[in-house]
Amino acid sequence: MDQQTHSPVPPITETDLRLLRIFRAVAEAGGLTAAEGALGVERSTISRHLQALETRLGARLCFRGPAGFELTEFGVRTLHATIAACDALEMVRHELNLARNMLTGELRIGIAADEPDNV
């Protein structure tokens, strides 16, 4: 899982998106233990997910262990890309909600005027 590997990252799948969201939660929490509560998942499971993501991406995302937690340079870039992807997906959801609630068609307005009383 060396960062110098020159093979491209494979196409991102739905499983990758789930793993990237887990990685984001860990990175934003500052470590696996801190992310346990936010994710509702045990630290060992989070660690396995991170390992799976690192294997899939072909590079180490972070250093983790008794010495602490620290993102690698690749991890920092992956975090930024993940945030951008999540923001883009949220925008898609927002646009779809707008489209679903949007009125379409032709609107015709008729105005009926009352004649004044000639009293």
Side-chain angles (χ1 to χ4, degrees):
M1 289 193 306
D2 184 75
Q3 275 186 259
Q4 300 304 317
T5 304
H6 291 24
S7 61
V9 171
I12 303 297
T13 66
E14 289 182 42
T15 299
D16 296 330
L17 287 174
R18 186 174 62 82
L19 294 174
L20 286 166
R21 285 186 177 110
I22 292 168
F23 166 67
R24 178 182 180 178
V26 171
E28 289 178 343
L32 280 71
T33 303
E36 279 183 290
L39 292 171
V41 178
E42 291 182 8
R43 189 174 69 220
S44 61
T45 302
I46 295 170
S47 181
R48 281 195 308 275
H49 288 316
L50 288 180
Q51 287 173 343
L53 182 59
E54 288 174 332
T55 299
R56 179 92 168 114
L57 299 178
R60 186 182 262 303
L61 295 167
C62 56
F63 299 106
R64 49 198 181 272
F69 176 86
E70 183 181 351
L71 292 177
T72 62
E73 183 179 332
F74 182 74
V76 170
R77 293 184 72 172
T78 301
L79 177 60
H80 291 302
T82 300
I83 292 169
C86 289
D87 289 350
L89 288 172
E90 183 58 31
M91 181 58 72
V92 168
R93 188 183 72 79
H94 175 73
E95 290 296 325
L96 292 174
N97 280 330
L98 286 177
R100 190 173 65 184
N101 294 323
M102 186 178 296
L103 295 175
T104 60
E106 189 174 316
L107 176 63
R108 294 180 186 226
I109 299 175
I111 300 175
D114 288 338
E115 291 188 28
D117 291 336
N118 293 335
V119 178

